[in-house]
Every structure is written in structure tokens, then in C-alpha cells.
Amino acid sequence: MHSFLRAIGFSKLNNRIQVEDLIHKVVEQATDKHRYSFEDNTVVAELSYEFAEGIGITVRGEYDENDQFHVEHYYPYFHGQNVSTREEVFISKRVDTDAYTGMCDDYRLGVSLIFYLQNVIDYLSIKSKRDSIGLRSITLSGLAAEGKILLPVEKTEHQMRSSTADMKYRNQLIAEAKKGNQEAIDSLTIDDIDMYAMVSKRVKKEDIYSIVETSFIPYGSESDNYTVLGTIIEWREVKNEETKEILYVMQLECNALTFEVCINKEDLFGEPQVGRRFRGTIWMQGMVDFIG
């Protein structure tokens, strides 16, 4: 049973039989179907069913010679609405399943961003026609199994402007450092030492979340799982039409990266409000707008 099914409103599923019935419904009543035929006549497909706007389950599998669909695996999805980044992405196939992940380097995060690719069929169809694949944008979204709402860090307008300028300057240094600029590397090293000394001093008297405003950290052994701390820019309630469970959809700004997160209301501690912060562990997904 997929651990993030509860994030889209299926918290009451107790056994494998209930999950199989749900998968059968998705296959039989799919509202979105994508197919792709390989040269060896293998036909792969993605069948999706929405239980709320942009929220649902996708079943991936193959059609046999009798046009019968055979399930390979399934996953809950949440489609974000806003472009998160336009950085170059590298797509790779996972070893354990027919799923694919995308990886891109966004200077704002300081780490390689890895996400679960949602539109695999688009990727396969374009890859078969050309060696190199371009993209227009990447729309990121996350599913959270649990989370907490934290109060914001109080800042003056001058502090906010200064923070934005510092972030922009740091991104420029990271870009130069990746090109091998030794001065940029040295400057980043000194900045990190100074920051470590500042945090070590303040944490003795202050809570860590009053010092660290946002963060984006890889979590566990899964490459596309992250612990995030981000500021809520917008939020809304949606309802899973199958189970009637209420979900929260929050647009977050995290290390200057914008993306949306979906979480079951029952799994969120606190009330979301614009300006407050969300902290939780998410499964990062992404829709890549390929150049066809």
C-alpha cells in the first residue's frame, strides 16, 4: 500500500483488497489516458482518475495483444499549478519499477533536486524521436504524510530586502563556483563558516526555527523525499469526492523556490494561514513541459 495515499484523502484504507478495488476503479473509469507503442509492439499506458481537481491516482502498465491492460504499479499524484524552475533536467529510469525521476541543479536550493516524473508517456514519446530533449519549465508539487504549522519569523522591510539581496548574491557565487571560480568557492566557504558560528551562538538562547526561516533537506533513503520548511504564500481547502476527506493545498516559498504541497487535514498540526510556515516531510513530484 502506497504510504502517500492518505495525503490525497485515502486515510481509511486498511488492507490490500481495498487498494486493489480502488486501482480497479481507476482503470475502469479513467478520465485521462496516455499510451505509447515501442518498436517491439509493446504498448505502455498511464490511466488516471481524479478525486479532486489536480489530485488523483495514476496506474501504469501494459496492454497485451488482446488489448487487455495489465497493471505494473500505481501512485497517488498531485498536479501543481505554478512553474517552479526552468533549469535543465536529467531524466533517468528507476531500477525497481518502470517509474522515472528527474534531476536538476537549482542554485537556490544548494542541492540537486530530484523528483518523481509524472508525465512519463510524454517523455518516452519525445525521446523516441530525438536524442536531446529540451524543456520549457518544470512544475513541482509535493505530497505530505504529516506536517506542522509554525509561526513566521518577524522581519522588517529592510531585513527582507537585505535577505533577498543576499540570496541573489549567493546564487551568483554558487553559479560561479560550479564553473570552477576559486574566488567564488573561497567566498562561499567563508560565508558558511560565518553562518555556522552565528547559528551556534544564537541557538544557545533561541529556538532553531526562529533562526532558520526556510530549509530544503533530503530525507531518508528515498532520493525524492525531502524535509521542507517553507512560507505559505497561498492555501485552499479541497475535498476528495470519493471519501469526502478534506485536504489542504498550500503554495510554499522555500529557499526562493515556489511549489505546492497537498496534505490531509487530519495529518496537519495547526491551521494554515498566509505568512505562516509549513514544516513536513514530502514526496516531491514534477511535471516537465517538454519541447515536442
Side-chain angles (χ1 to χ4, degrees), residues 109 111 212 214-220 225-229 254-255 279-282:
L109 297 178
V111 297
V212 179
T214 67
S215 63
F216 191 93
I217 306 171
Y219 175 82
N225 285 8
Y226 298 90
T227 296
V228 300
L229 173 63
C254 181
N255 287 23
R279 181 187 181 277
T281 301
I282 67 169

Side-chain angles (χ1 to χ4, degrees), residues 34-36 38 44 46 60 89-94 98-103 115 117-135 286-292:
H34 296 275
R35 298 172 59 143
Y36 175 74
F38 289 95
V44 296
E46 287 183 333
R60 188 175 295 137
V89 65
F90 174 75
I91 307 295
S92 61
K93 185 178 182 300
R94 297 184 62 154
D98 288 330
Y100 289 74
T101 56
M103 182 179 72
F115 59 89
L117 183 64
Q118 294 174 329
N119 54 326
V120 169
I121 301 300
D122 293 341
Y123 168 71
L124 293 176
S125 61
I126 295 176
K127 182 184 178 184
S128 66
K129 301 174 185 177
R130 59 188 71 183
D131 295 330
S132 60
I133 301 177
L135 63 92
M287 179 79 71
V288 179
D289 183 10
F290 296 106
I291 299 175

Side-chain angles (χ1 to χ4, degrees), residues 147-199:
K148 296 179 180 180
I149 298 297
L150 304 181
L151 293 175
V153 175
E154 186 176 9
K155 299 171 71 174
T156 64
E157 285 191 25
H158 174 73
Q159 288 174 321
M160 288 189 287
R161 287 196 300 268
S162 178
S163 178
T164 301
D166 289 345
M167 178 67 71
K168 185 176 180 180
Y169 178 65
R170 181 176 175 82
N171 290 341
Q172 292 174 346
L173 287 179
I174 293 175
E176 289 298 317
K178 286 183 176 290
K179 296 177 183 178
N181 187 319
Q182 189 59 46
E183 290 185 5
I185 295 173
D186 293 341
S187 182
L188 285 170
T189 301
I190 294 172
D191 287 346
D192 287 343
I193 293 173
D194 291 342
M195 183 179 297
Y196 177 80
M198 180 272 293
V199 171

Side-chain angles (χ1 to χ4, degrees), residues 18-76:
Q18 292 177 329
V19 175
E20 289 177 352
D21 289 341
L22 183 61
I23 294 173
H24 180 74
K25 176 176 181 175
V26 172
V27 173
E28 293 296 318
Q29 303 180 26
T31 54
D32 193 16
K33 300 181 180 181
H34 296 275
R35 298 172 59 143
Y36 175 74
S37 300
F38 289 95
E39 293 182 357
D40 61 358
N41 294 324
T42 301
V43 180
V44 296
E46 287 183 333
L47 310 180
S48 303
Y49 186 87
E50 283 198 352
F51 297 95
E53 183 180 359
I55 300 170
I57 294 175
T58 293
V59 179
R60 188 175 295 137
E62 294 185 6
Y63 282 98
D64 61 20
E65 61 275 7
N66 298 318
D67 205 35
Q68 292 295 314
F69 184 73
H70 299 274
V71 176
E72 293 290 338
H73 75 282
Y74 72 96
Y75 68 93

